[in-house]
Amino acid sequence: MPELPEAEIARRQLARWLGDAPVRRVRLEDPAVVRTHLSSRPSDGVGDPQGEVDALVGQPVVEVLRHGKRVGIRFPERGLLVHLGMSGKLVRSEEVPRYGRMGLETERGTVWLVDRRRFGCFVPVEPAQIRSTLAEGHGPDALDEACGAAELRARLTGRRAVKVALMDQAVLAGIGNIQAVEILFRAGIDPRTRCADLTESQLEALAPVIPAQLQEVVDAEDVGEIVYVTERGGENPFVVYGREGSACPRCGTAIESLRQSGRSSFFCPGCQT
DNA sequence: TGAAATGTTAACGA
DNA sequence: ATCGTTAACATTTC
C-alpha cells in the first residue's frame, strides 16, 4: 500500500531518525534487497551487496529527497535510493524486526526497512545521479508539483480510464490504487470515465483534490506508527476503498466495486458520474 | 485452499 | 501507436 504519503513519511523518518550522524554499520539481513536499479524483483540484486552498502559506513546523511513513491538519501560521497514496494515501511529498532531486510545503524539508532513481500529495495547510486534517477520516467510529483486543470487536461489523454491514468507514474508520480480511488470519489468522477471525456468542470474539480487528498493523508500519518489497512486489527481508514456495499457518506447509495487493469476499484454510482 | 492484496513492468492481443 | 489486460515477481492473510 505504500503510495506517495507513505514515501513522504519514510523520507521524514530517515531525516529525523538518522539526523547527521554517520552510518556506523549496515545490517544486511536480506542481501537481495540491494538492487542494481529501482526494481520490485529480488532477482535484480547486485553482485556484492554487502560491499555496496559498506561504502556507506562513515557517511552522514546530507539530505533525503522524494519524487512520487521513490525516496533518495544523499550522503557526501554516495547515494541510496529507497522504494517501499508493496508492503515496505521503516521501523526504528535495535533488534532485527520480523521481516527486517536491511538496517542503517548510527549512534542515534537503527532504521530498518521492514517488508513482508520483498518488493521493496535499496539502490546504490552516485550522489550526482540521485535527482535524475528519482524522477526518471515519471511525471511531476503529485503533491509537490501539483497540476492545474489545464495541465491535467494535457496529461490525462486518450481512451484510457481516468483511474488507470492517475495510477500511471509517467502521468503523475505518487498515486497508487487506494489514493486514486479516494481522489476520484472526492472529485465526484466515475473511475471508468475516459480521459478524453473528462469535462472542464471535472478537471477543475480534480486538480485541487489530488494534492489536498495526498497532503491530508501525509498529515494524518505523520504521527506514531504507520498502520496499513491490510494489517490485522487496523480499522479501514478510507472513505470508499474496501467499502463495497456500505452507504456512500455523501449520498447514501451503496458503494460498488469493479476491476480495472487488474486492480480493484470502489466508487459510488450515485455521486460519481 | 485458493484468491486477493499492494507496485512495477514485460509481454501480448486488439 | 495506443490502449487494455494478464502475468510475473514474493509473501501473507482471509
Side-chain angles (χ1 to χ4, degrees), chain A residues 104-166:
Chain A
L104 291 171
E105 178 184 307
T106 72
E107 63 177 19
R108 299 168 55 140
T110 306
V111 181
W112 290 90
L113 173 65
V114 173
D115 182 20
R116 307 205 293 295
R117 291 179 178 77
R118 301 181 72 214
F119 287 167
C121 65
F122 289 102
V123 181
V125 297
E126 296 297 324
Q129 295 179 317
I130 296 176
R131 274 176 195 282
S132 57
T133 315
L134 280 179
E136 195 170 46
H138 277 193
D141 185 85
L143 179 60
D144 295 344
E145 305 167 282
C147 294
E151 190 168 356
L152 281 188
R153 166 67 81 201
R155 296 193 155 271
L156 299 172
T157 58
R159 287 167 292 175
R160 67 208 298 218
V162 60
K163 194 245 186 179
V164 175
L166 284 178

Side-chain angles (χ1 to χ4, degrees), chain A residues 20-199:
Chain A
D20 56 4
V23 173
R24 182 199 281 160
R25 77 174 156 142
V26 182
R27 300 171 68 176
L28 189 54
E29 293 294 317
D30 176 10
V33 79
V34 184
R35 314 246 160 97
T36 58
H37 61 286
L38 286 163
S39 162
S40 57
R41 295 159 191 278
S43 58
D44 286 326
V46 298
D48 178 16
Q50 188 70 58
E52 290 280 353
V53 293
D54 280 347
L56 303 172
V57 172
Q59 302 262 313
V61 173
V62 177
E63 64 177 336
V64 190
L65 307 165
R66 181 192 61 74
H67 187 93
K69 306 173 189 175
R70 300 168 174 170
V71 173
I73 312 172
R74 177 187 301 282
F75 298 90
E77 297 167 2
R78 299 299 308 161
L80 189 65
L81 309 182
V82 188
H83 197 294
L84 299 173
M86 271 195 182
S87 57
K89 62 180 176 180
L90 299 183
V91 164
R92 190 161 49 163
S93 166
E94 295 323 297
E95 288 88 56
V96 184
R98 186 152 160 76
Y99 308 121
R101 305 299 174 185
M102 190 175 103
L104 291 171
E105 178 184 307
T106 72
E107 63 177 19
R108 299 168 55 140
T110 306
V111 181
W112 290 90
L113 173 65
V114 173
D115 182 20
R116 307 205 293 295
R117 291 179 178 77
R118 301 181 72 214
F119 287 167
C121 65
F122 289 102
V123 181
V125 297
E126 296 297 324
Q129 295 179 317
I130 296 176
R131 274 176 195 282
S132 57
T133 315
L134 280 179
E136 195 170 46
H138 277 193
D141 185 85
L143 179 60
D144 295 344
E145 305 167 282
C147 294
E151 190 168 356
L152 281 188
R153 166 67 81 201
R155 296 193 155 271
L156 299 172
T157 58
R159 287 167 292 175
R160 67 208 298 218
V162 60
K163 194 245 186 179
V164 175
L166 284 178
M167 288 192 292
D168 184 344
Q169 304 302 296
V171 171
L172 285 180
I175 301 171
N177 195 40
I178 293 174
Q179 295 309 322
V181 165
E182 298 290 307
I183 284 166
L184 289 171
F185 173 77
R186 282 179 65 156
I189 298 171
D190 187 318
R192 299 166 295 187
T193 310
R194 293 173 177 199
C195 289
D197 292 340
L198 288 167
T199 65

Side-chain angles (χ1 to χ4, degrees), chain A residues 254-268:
Chain A
I255 302 296
E256 288 183 10
S257 74
L258 64 135
R259 286 188 86 71
Q260 295 181 282
S261 287
R263 293 289 178 245
S264 52
S265 282
F266 300 86
F267 76 110
C268 171

